[in-house]
Amino acid sequence: MSQFMVEFDLPHEMPEEFIMKIPQQRLKVNELMEDGKIMSYALSMDRQKLWCVVKADTEFEVLEIISEFPLIGYMEPAVSELLFNNVIAARIPLFSLN
């Protein structure tokens, strides 16, 4: 299984329909993250770019996964297969029995 970076260009003006679908988008992204299909999801401060790392076998599978996004009709994706993706795992404190 490979990892793919998907970069989305977002609309400069966000119509009301777009804004109304944001909660549905967050729910779908959380579901896909829980299923292990999306590894990360990030939005630029100016809200013009969105990135996610998707775990899939092919670029076609990536397109199928992101087609489930409620906001996909407002976004232009660009997909790149990653050679590697270094991530810092969340640090969980170790318990000491001493």
Side-chain angles (χ1 to χ4, degrees), residues 1-43:
M1 186 144 309
S2 298
Q3 291 186 24
F4 296 81
M5 174 66 73
V6 185
E7 180 177 19
F8 298 94
D9 288 323
L10 298 176
H12 294 286
E13 299 282 329
M14 295 183 182
E16 187 175 335
E17 300 86 29
F18 179 97
I19 294 168
M20 297 294 288
K21 290 184 176 185
I22 290 173
Q24 297 168 10
Q25 176 80 7
R26 296 295 305 169
L27 287 172
K28 177 51 77 174
V29 167
N30 289 341
E31 175 188 316
L32 292 168
M33 289 184 90
E34 287 174 13
D35 291 345
K37 294 179 181 179
I38 293 180
M39 310 308 293
S40 67
Y41 186 77
L43 178 65

Side-chain angles (χ1 to χ4, degrees), residues 1-7 39-40 51-56 59 62 78-87:
M1 186 144 309
S2 298
Q3 291 186 24
F4 296 81
M5 174 66 73
V6 185
E7 180 177 19
M39 310 308 293
S40 67
W51 299 272
C52 65
V53 175
V54 179
K55 200 173 191 182
E59 185 174 335
V62 172
V79 180
S80 302
E81 187 170 7
L82 300 175
L83 181 60
F84 61 88
N85 180 27
N86 291 345
V87 180

Side-chain angles (χ1 to χ4, degrees), residues 36-72:
K37 294 179 181 179
I38 293 180
M39 310 308 293
S40 67
Y41 186 77
L43 178 65
S44 65
M45 182 65 85
D46 65 4
R47 298 184 173 127
Q48 295 300 296
K49 294 276 188 190
L50 179 70
W51 299 272
C52 65
V53 175
V54 179
K55 200 173 191 182
D57 289 320
T58 64
E59 185 174 335
F60 182 76
E61 187 179 345
V62 172
L63 295 173
E64 286 182 323
I65 291 168
I66 65 173
S67 74
E68 298 179 35
F69 288 177
L71 295 175
I72 194 64

